Amino acid sequence: MNTTELSRASGDPAVLRESDQTPSTQNPGKDAIELRCTGLSLRFGKVRALDGLDLTIAPGECVGVVGRNGAGKSTLFRSIIGAETPDAGRIETTPAMGRVEFLARTGFVPDTLAVYDWMNAGQAIDFVAALQPRFDPSWSAELQSVLGIDRSVKIRDLSRGMQARLAFVLGLSHRPDLVLLDEPLLGVDAVTHDAVLEVLARMRSVQGCTMLIASHQLGDLARLADRVVFLDRGRIVEECETDELVTGTHRLIVRGVAEGWSAAVSDSIILARRQDSAHILTVRGDAAPIRLAIERAHPDARIEQIALSIHEACADRLRALETTP
Amino acid sequence: MSSTVLSGTPPTHAAHRGLPATFAALLRKDLRLATIIILPSLAALALLSLVAVITPLLGEDAMRALGLLALEGRGVLARIGAFATLFWIISAFACVLSALAIAAGDSSGRARHLLPVLPVSSRMAYASKTCACALVIAGFLCVTGAVQMSGDATMIQSGSIFGYGLLLANGVVWAFVAPLFARTFGGAFVVTIVTPMLLFLACSVVGDAIAFFALKWTLISRDAAPWFGDGSLAESGGLGFEFSMLISNRAWTCSAVVVLAVGLWCAWHARKAVLCARSVRGVTRLGVVRVVACVFAAAGCSGIGAAAVVWNDNPAISRALVAAGTYESYRTMPVDELVRRWGSYWAFVDSNRATLFDRSDERHGFEAMFWPIATQDGPASVGSLDPEELIARRLITRAIGERLESDPEGVRAAARALLDADAPRSPIEQVRLAELIGPRTRASVLLHRLAAGPSREETRVDLIMLLTPCLSMLDPQWDNMSKWRRQPGEWLGGVDQHAWGLAPFRIDCGGGPKSCPMASARAEAVVFVTALEKRIEEGTFEPTDARSPHDRLSVGKAVLRAARHALEPSFPRLADHRLADSPWLKDATRAPSVTDDQSLYLPASLLFDHAQTDSSYLLPTGH
């Protein structure tokens, strides 16, 4: 395994050097953790936040979680770190370890900064350092430098973006083997955004750590995740490789069919809808068989095929979930 | 695979400073959480101390207004000590709110997602919170205790300490429950205050009811309920206790202890919420059922505990049980033995009169004669009687009363046998035994006693007071029954002399018969003896009760004459005692009119107005 040094170049936090190591589940770090969630269920009163959720993340794998607001993403993260106690189900790791060790090897970056208001940034970091046995002062200092943390600023005075930066430092300063990121980049500027993604990518490539990321910024998932799972009403309803999302989803726009429209029934069709006089199909994988079937049934049809971005692909999948009972 | 190094120092545990440092960091954090309460509370205490220091400078009015005037001239510490109660109150609130800040500070703030992700064992995190809480409480108690000691330390009582401690413990424990039910600090505060109060209320009301019915049922099952004086049974001999007073304040203590126990149980289940490992869940039907079940279980425990505490702690219950046992033994006792006990009991009373009655006022010598008469339906407490004696009196009285109803002739025969036996008996013992037989026997005993010429003034007083109710025997409407209870002067003030066939008489005492109880009693005794003598001579009085052959009048003319002479002498020693505080009244015995106390200096004949009184009632002057 090549050793990669993550360092700041020319004092510019956005420019980072890396080796040619490619992040991959095929090449996990020796300390990478496999995470298995089996049958997780959790209710808040009448709301079923998790409903028999099953999820396995292989060592060194990076999984993205996509879902609409209230789908259960944050509850899943809180359950994994132990901030919620599920009503049913198990959370297991390989290698097996106790809770304290698990937390010592896990880095959690929540969507909002979790630290005491009376502290300043430096005190918050020191507080975590005192309680985190794997805290690496040098690595932490490097992260603070890369992310531009001012240790003297009071927490209550931090902007949304600065809070997100500090949350990264607090969550990653101990070089975790499992990284949990719950909407980590809300409010950060574009430069910091890129810097954070670089840091995460290099942590994967160098350390081979396992990652679980929830984000509405699907481009981030395209850069980091090996696999994306779709969460709806506390259950994983679909999962696919990131490549499929990025390049393997197409939209067929069919026009010129006035009456008797019948789309070919296929598992490849993710979503079928009508907009004005056009019929729009979202298709996963190769769209040619679908297209051929339509042309046979409706010789006059004019078919336009568009390759979807990951954002469009995910959005159509989420729209499809709405129609599912 | 070798360890991966990204940059800087290798990822070792060297940076970590060990468990003590971890604990210290947590403790510092928890104490910092409490400072939002500690600092204002300390400021309030400091302000109070400042007021105590500067009050003398503000003048006497300020000292009076703050209740410090009595401490004028004493030191500053004494003045601060005068505010000890306020210090205790502030400290109690500060301790409870500090506990709340420590317990709910993590879960109700921005840091709710920080603690769960830190690799700290739950035990250590919880121990840190409890240690911080203990430190805060200890600090406030030390400050307040020092203030109390600098003031009036004698005000500290063990009961108060226990109550204060229980209150404080409840507040602190329920503060550690609050994060289970509330997301915000305000909500946690409401939960901490309101929940235990509601639970205490439920435990007090339902628990007291359970304890009450459990105790009452147990008392009933052991035949001890009547001796608790409920309703009609009280009139026939209850011990003066009331079922409404069965549940004492200790039941409240029991409720508070149960609330504390429930709080501890809830705190155990709330520890994940305190450590942010569980957020507040919504209301579910199962949750509501659990809460209701918990409340009922707590109330039940409170009731059982209160019943157990009261059962072991309430002396009235043990007395009632002893009374029930004693009464049962009386019921199964042979009639001879029961009557003998009855006599012995009055002998005991007579011989212990000095301890049973308050003799500080000689008037009780007169009143004392009435309380045995009042036993049947009299008040529960007469004078300053020993409660044990009261119980014994009611037990034997009720037992003998029941036996008189079930076996009247057996009782009379036994009493007669005891009276006829040649054994020395006190006047009261003889009278009480005679009463069992009937009014004629009773009068006979008293007249014989009087005829014997008792020398002690107290003995004569007793005999006179016991004799006066016998007047009812002369009533034309007399039904051979008599109530041995009468207020002195009652008869004399309202008797129809003509209807009774009595020779005319009139008492000569200031204010009339009812204002002169002692003079009236003496005059009534004279009228009774004189009229009885006349009836016997005329043969208009049947000496033996036809319905009860045991009851017969066994006095002759000589006995009646002797008794009349025994009634004549004055009571100078008693009068001197009564008038010790107003000696000038001794010199004015006849002018303008005789008072009740002054009448004690006069012979019985001079109690009557000679101009309006038949000479048969009078003895020659100077007798």
Side-chain angles (χ1 to χ4, degrees):
Chain A
M1 185 181 196
N2 293 334
T3 299
T4 303
E5 184 168 342
L6 183 63
S7 61
R8 189 158 56 91
S10 308
D12 183 351
V15 183
L16 300 167
R17 306 292 179 200
E18 66 167 324
S19 71
D20 57 354
Q21 183 74 34
T22 303
S24 167
T25 52
Q26 309 307 316
N27 198 10
K30 75 174 180 67
D31 296 323
I33 294 172
E34 180 185 90
L35 181 69
R36 292 185 305 282
C37 302
T38 312
L40 284 188
S41 294
L42 179 57
R43 296 181 71 120
F44 294 106
K46 292 179 179 176
V47 178
R48 197 183 289 274
L50 295 177
D51 185 12
L53 183 142
D54 294 313
L55 173 66
T56 299
I57 308 173
E61 186 183 18
C62 178
V63 174
V65 181
V66 176
R68 302 202 62 178
N69 300 123
K73 300 185 297 294
S74 294
T75 306
L76 171 62
F77 281 93
R78 291 206 302 272
S79 298
I80 292 172
I81 61 167
E84 292 292 352
T85 306
D87 298 329
R90 291 197 311 272
I91 298 170
E92 297 167 301
T93 60
T94 302
M97 62 191 82
R99 176 181 164 275
V100 173
E101 186 186 353
F102 173 74
L103 291 174
R105 296 176 61 180
T106 301
F108 177 53
V109 182
D111 53 351
T112 53
L113 178 63
V115 76
Y116 301 98
D117 279 330
W118 75 79
M119 291 179 170
N120 61 30
Q123 287 171 329
I125 294 167
D126 292 342
F127 177 68
V128 171
L131 300 174
Q132 176 54 267
R134 289 165 56 110
F135 190 85
D136 184 341
S138 302
W139 170 238
S140 177
E142 203 162 313
L143 277 177
Q144 292 171 50
S145 176
V146 167
L147 297 174
I149 299 296
D150 181 354
R151 290 176 58 92
S152 64
V153 181
K154 285 279 187 185
I155 300 295
R156 66 173 75 96
D157 296 332
L158 288 175
S159 67
R160 181 73 184 80
M162 292 300 292
Q163 288 183 20
R165 294 188 207 183
L166 180 59
F168 264 100
V169 174
L170 297 178
L172 304 180
S173 285
H174 57 292
R175 298 176 192 264
D177 298 318
L178 171 65
V179 177
L180 305 172
L181 305 165
D182 184 12
E183 299 286 355
L185 294 168
L186 287 177
V188 298
D189 59 76
V191 176
T192 309
H193 191 137
D194 275 354
V196 169
L197 290 181
E198 288 292 336
V199 167
L200 292 174
R202 278 155 187 74
M203 282 185 72
R204 279 203 70 202
S205 64
V206 173
Q207 210 175 314
C209 59
T210 309
M211 282 191 186
L212 182 64
I213 308 174
S215 177
H216 294 300
Q217 292 167 307
L218 303 168
D220 300 344
L221 297 185
R223 288 178 65 177
L224 291 171
D226 303 312
R227 180 161 58 100
V228 174
V229 296
F230 290 85
L231 203 60
D232 181 51
R233 284 167 277 187
R235 284 179 299 173
I236 291 176
V237 292
E238 187 176 351
E239 59 181 278
C240 59
E241 300 297 318
T242 310
D243 290 345
E244 181 192 328
L245 275 177
V246 173
T247 60
T249 308
H250 299 87
R251 182 174 292 161
L252 298 179
I253 303 172
V254 184
R255 292 191 178 87
V257 180
E259 292 179 357
W261 161 257
S262 64
V265 176
S266 168
D267 291 341
S268 301
I269 298 176
I270 298 169
L271 179 67
R273 59 196 168 103
R274 181 164 185 168
Q275 186 174 337
D276 299 329
S277 60
H279 297 278
I280 302 171
L281 302 178
T282 306
V283 179
R284 71 163 65 89
D286 186 5
I290 306 285
R291 185 169 183 161
L292 191 62
I294 294 171
E295 284 171 348
R296 279 179 186 162
H298 305 281
D300 299 335
R302 300 189 304 278
I303 302 174
E304 182 185 357
Q305 182 172 338
I306 303 170
L308 295 184
S309 68
I310 186 172
H311 183 87
E312 290 168 321
C314 288
D316 274 3
R317 278 175 166 80
L318 294 175
R319 283 193 194 100
L321 291 176
E322 287 181 355
T323 63
T324 307
Chain B
M1 189 180 287
S2 63
S3 174
T4 304
V5 178
L6 295 180
S7 69
T9 56
T12 65
H13 295 187
H16 194 58
R17 284 165 271 174
L19 286 181
T22 305
F23 187 78
L26 287 171
L27 191 60
R28 275 199 304 275
K29 179 263 295 180
D30 288 324
L31 287 173
R32 178 63 180 76
L33 286 174
T35 52
I36 60 167
I37 302 297
I38 294 173
L39 294 180
S41 303
L42 287 178
L45 297 183
L47 188 65
L48 267 181
S49 305
L50 184 66
V51 168
V53 169
I54 65 170
T55 303
L57 304 177
L58 302 178
E60 193 172 303
D61 289 343
M63 294 279 282
R64 186 179 293 109
L66 294 173
L68 299 175
L69 202 58
L71 300 174
E72 197 168 17
R74 293 177 64 183
V76 173
L77 288 179
R79 288 202 299 278
I80 295 175
F83 289 130
T85 305
L86 275 176
F87 269 72
W88 282 116
I89 292 171
I90 292 172
S91 295
F93 271 100
C95 290
V96 172
L97 292 178
S98 297
L100 185 61
I102 291 167
D106 287 319
S107 60
S108 65
R110 179 200 284 271
R112 70 168 66 91
H113 292 149
L114 177 62
L115 203 59
V117 301
L118 294 172
V120 177
S121 74
S122 302
R123 285 195 189 95
M124 183 184 287
Y126 205 81
S128 157
K129 286 186 179 294
T130 50
C131 280
C133 197
L135 284 173
V136 172
I137 292 172
F140 274 106
L141 290 186
C142 283
V143 170
T144 311
V147 169
Q148 178 77 65
M149 298 304 283
S150 67
D152 187 1
T154 57
M155 287 175 63
I156 304 176
Q157 296 171 348
S158 59
S160 304
I161 293 172
F162 179 74
Y164 182 85
L166 200 55
L167 197 67
L168 193 60
N170 262 308
V172 170
V173 166
W174 280 94
F176 276 78
V177 177
L180 188 63
F181 299 109
R183 290 185 177 90
T184 62
F185 189 79
F189 174 76
V190 172
V191 169
T192 303
I193 302 299
V194 173
T195 312
M197 286 180 71
L198 289 178
L199 189 59
F200 177 78
L201 200 63
C203 285
S204 296
V205 174
V206 182
D208 282 9
I210 292 171
F212 176 81
F213 285 111
L215 289 171
K216 190 168 183 178
W217 181 82
T218 312
L219 285 170
I220 289 171
S221 69
R222 297 192 181 195
D223 295 328
W227 304 105
F228 235 86
D230 61 334
S232 59
L233 287 169
E235 294 176 4
S236 59
L239 303 185
F241 310 122
E242 295 293 336
F243 271 111
S244 59
M245 299 165 67
L246 186 60
I247 306 300
S248 60
N249 288 347
R250 285 182 179 269
W252 287 10
T253 306
C254 202
S255 296
V257 170
V258 168
V259 171
L260 179 63
V262 173
L264 286 169
W265 181 74
C266 289
W268 172 257
H269 287 280
R271 63 195 192 285
K272 278 189 173 179
V274 170
L275 299 176
C276 309
R278 175 194 171 99
S279 59
V280 177
R281 306 286 172 88
V283 178
T284 61
R285 191 174 297 170
L286 181 63
V288 172
V289 169
R290 279 178 178 166
V291 168
V292 171
C294 180
V295 169
F296 273 99
C301 290
S302 174
I304 293 168
V309 168
V310 171
W311 184 265
N312 291 319
D313 211 49
N314 192 339
I317 290 177
S318 54
R319 281 183 193 162
L321 290 173
V322 170
T326 307
Y327 182 68
E328 188 58 29
S329 72
Y330 284 157
R331 286 184 62 188
T332 55
M333 196 175 277
V335 64
D336 294 348
E337 176 64 13
L338 182 63
V339 172
R340 192 188 63 74
R341 289 277 184 100
W342 171 253
S344 301
Y345 170 72
W346 292 107
F348 164 78
V349 171
D350 194 48
S351 60
N352 289 279
R353 190 178 292 196
T355 57
L356 293 175
F357 305 108
D358 178 7
R359 303 305 296 264
S360 61
D361 184 349
E362 201 60 36
R363 181 184 291 271
H364 286 282
F366 281 82
E367 292 178 357
M369 290 302 95
F370 283 88
W371 75 261
I373 295 166
T375 50
Q376 298 296 332
D377 53 359
S381 175
V382 178
S384 52
L385 299 177
D386 178 8
E388 298 299 331
E389 190 279 331
L390 192 68
I391 294 171
R393 173 157 57 92
R394 293 210 159 167
L395 284 170
I396 194 77
T397 302
R398 190 171 175 207
I400 205 77
E402 281 197 359
R403 192 63 69 92
L404 263 176
E405 286 182 6
S406 61
D407 182 17
E409 290 309 314
V411 171
R412 285 168 188 151
R416 170 60 69 191
L418 282 174
L419 277 180
D420 292 345
D422 188 18
R425 301 191 188 282
S426 71
I428 291 179
E429 183 185 359
Q430 269 192 317
V431 168
R432 304 313 280 180
L433 286 171
E435 273 178 6
L436 295 179
I437 302 170
R440 289 174 177 79
T441 309
R442 185 179 190 277
S444 301
V445 165
L446 287 168
L447 288 169
H448 276 289
R449 277 280 179 179
L450 268 175
S455 57
R456 290 184 69 242
E457 290 185 15
E458 289 82 357
T459 307
R460 281 196 292 132
V461 166
D462 288 351
L463 290 173
I464 289 169
M465 297 305 294
L466 287 166
L467 186 64
T468 49
C470 294
L471 273 165
S472 57
M473 294 169 65
L474 306 179
D475 187 350
Q477 308 297 322
W478 189 48
D479 58 356
N480 283 300
M481 304 294 286
S482 184
K483 287 178 68 177
W484 308 121
R485 185 182 185 191
R486 186 189 294 279
Q487 292 297 325
E490 181 186 334
W491 177 82
L492 204 59
V495 63
D496 183 346
Q497 298 177 19
H498 180 70
W500 283 48
L502 299 173
F505 61 85
R506 186 172 185 279
I507 189 171
D508 185 16
C509 189
K514 289 188 177 179
S515 300
C516 300
M518 287 181 284
S520 296
R522 292 173 66 196
E524 285 173 4
V526 168
V527 169
F528 171 68
V529 171
T530 306
L532 184 64
E533 185 179 4
K534 184 183 171 191
R535 293 275 185 94
I536 291 173
E537 283 179 356
E538 293 171 349
T540 55
F541 186 83
E542 182 57 51
T544 302
D545 183 0
R547 293 177 300 179
S548 176
H550 290 290
D551 186 21
R552 55 182 179 271
L553 187 68
S554 56
V555 292
K557 187 173 181 179
V559 172
L560 288 169
R561 278 287 93 194
R564 172 62 189 91
H565 280 88
L567 293 173
E568 187 66 7
S570 61
F571 297 87
R573 195 179 61 79
L574 195 56
D576 286 344
H577 183 76
R578 299 287 301 273
L579 295 171
D581 295 333
S582 47
W584 59 90
L585 290 176
K586 298 177 185 176
D587 300 329
T589 54
R590 299 296 299 176
S593 61
V594 178
T595 65
D596 197 39
D597 289 339
Q598 289 170 328
S599 72
L600 292 168
Y601 287 116
L602 302 177
S605 295
L606 292 183
L607 298 175
F608 294 93
D609 180 351
H610 287 203
Q612 299 182 50
T613 302
D614 188 85
S615 60
S616 61
Y617 296 111
L618 310 175
L619 291 179
T621 307
H623 176 81

